[in-house]
Amino acid sequence: MAKSRALGTTLKVNSKAVGGLTTINGIEISAETVDLTALDNATGYREKEPGFKDAGEVTVSGYLDGSDQGQDEMYTLLNSGATTTCNIVFPAKIGKTWTFTAGVSRFVTGAGLEGGVTFEATLLVSGQPVLAASASE
């Protein structure tokens, strides 16, 4: 595989492609810090280990499309409070896909005089996301 432009990257929510996207931000995995420094520590340095990991959230933005099933699915998930399988599929040249479970915590629309009608959404990642080779299409 090789480096690639982002053009062609897609987001699928519950197997439905989300159209009109201009930005997909995420996944960002971080680990809590567990301090294991004991009172009898003689080095003067803290002893630490990584704790629970958090995959954070995925934020997306784009142009609102009244007939897009993926955008509709995100709004439905926000209202239901359910979680579902999501995928960020990078271009074939990259050959990788993120697969994760998420619920939608935010859906915002906007309209301005000089631009199109936009939307933004936030997906809360639950559990461990997996970055793996994309399936051949």
Side-chain angles (χ1 to χ4, degrees), residues 18-55:
V18 179
L21 293 176
T22 56
T23 304
I24 303 171
N25 292 318
I27 287 175
E28 182 178 334
I29 301 172
S30 61
E32 295 175 352
T33 302
V34 177
D35 190 335
L36 299 174
T37 310
L39 292 174
D40 61 355
N41 177 297
T43 66
Y45 286 88
R46 292 192 179 277
E47 298 172 25
K48 302 175 189 176
E49 285 187 3
F52 282 108
K53 294 165 194 70
D54 187 341

Side-chain angles (χ1 to χ4, degrees), residues 76-122:
T76 298
L77 286 169
L78 174 65
N79 285 311
S80 72
T83 60
T84 192
T85 300
C86 301
N87 308 95
I88 299 172
V89 182
F90 296 106
K93 204 171 176 183
I94 298 290
K96 295 286 186 179
T97 297
W98 277 113
T99 301
F100 57 98
T101 300
V104 177
S105 66
R106 181 174 163 267
F107 193 95
V108 179
T109 58
L113 185 62
E114 298 296 327
V117 177
T118 61
F119 85 99
E120 297 176 4
T122 302

